[in-house]
Amino acid sequence: MNLTARLAEEAVTHFGEHLTGAPQLTHDALVLELDSGVTLQARFASAAEYSIHWRLDAAELRIDTAPLHSGLASFPNHLHAADGSIQADPLTRPGQDPWENLQAVLRAILKDPRLDRSA
């Protein structure tokens, strides 16, 4: 089973009650529609190279590992926040099993899709 299919299976097993339909598998991504209105798209090239993008209404957020923001404590991974800022990634760790990273994001966005830590 390829990684994307394994992630889809894990998502159904652990978060199925929050999915509005079956996970969608594209050639390089997993797409999940959540009952909160969030659409999540996850791409994992490896355990250390990934992008997890989610959208709720006009808010779009993304965690990725493109090594562009060396000043952040979480370098190379970082969060593109809903306000457009680039922040340290509070949820994932490169090299960790992709399912561990994906489920950390799913848990967090089920609580607060915008990751508004001031709320």
Side-chain angles (χ1 to χ4, degrees), residues 10-91:
E10 294 280 11
V12 169
T13 299
H14 298 282
F15 295 94
E17 70 274 12
H18 297 289
L19 300 177
T20 61
Q24 299 168 34
L25 301 173
T26 69
H27 72 284
D28 69 343
L30 167 65
V31 179
L32 302 173
E33 299 282 341
L34 305 178
D35 58 6
S36 62
V38 168
T39 299
L40 178 140
Q41 185 176 78
R43 287 184 166 86
F44 283 86
S46 71
E49 299 174 307
Y50 52 86
S51 172
I52 305 171
H53 175 267
W54 64 99
R55 182 180 70 250
L56 176 66
D57 303 322
E60 291 192 37
L61 296 91
R62 182 176 79 242
I63 290 173
D64 69 63
T65 57
L68 302 174
H69 307 285
S70 60
L72 295 174
S74 64
F75 180 79
N77 52 319
H78 53 278
L79 168 70
H80 296 259
D83 66 4
S85 66
I86 307 295
Q87 304 173 10
D89 171 9
L91 302 173

Side-chain angles (χ1 to χ4, degrees), residues 77-117:
N77 52 319
H78 53 278
L79 168 70
H80 296 259
D83 66 4
S85 66
I86 307 295
Q87 304 173 10
D89 171 9
L91 302 173
T92 73
R93 302 293 167 259
Q96 186 168 257
D97 182 271
W99 171 242
E100 295 299 320
N101 280 330
L102 182 57
Q103 75 175 319
V105 172
L106 285 167
R107 284 186 188 130
I109 65 176
L110 284 169
K111 290 180 184 174
D112 178 12
R114 291 177 178 86
L115 302 183
D116 184 4
R117 290 175 241 155

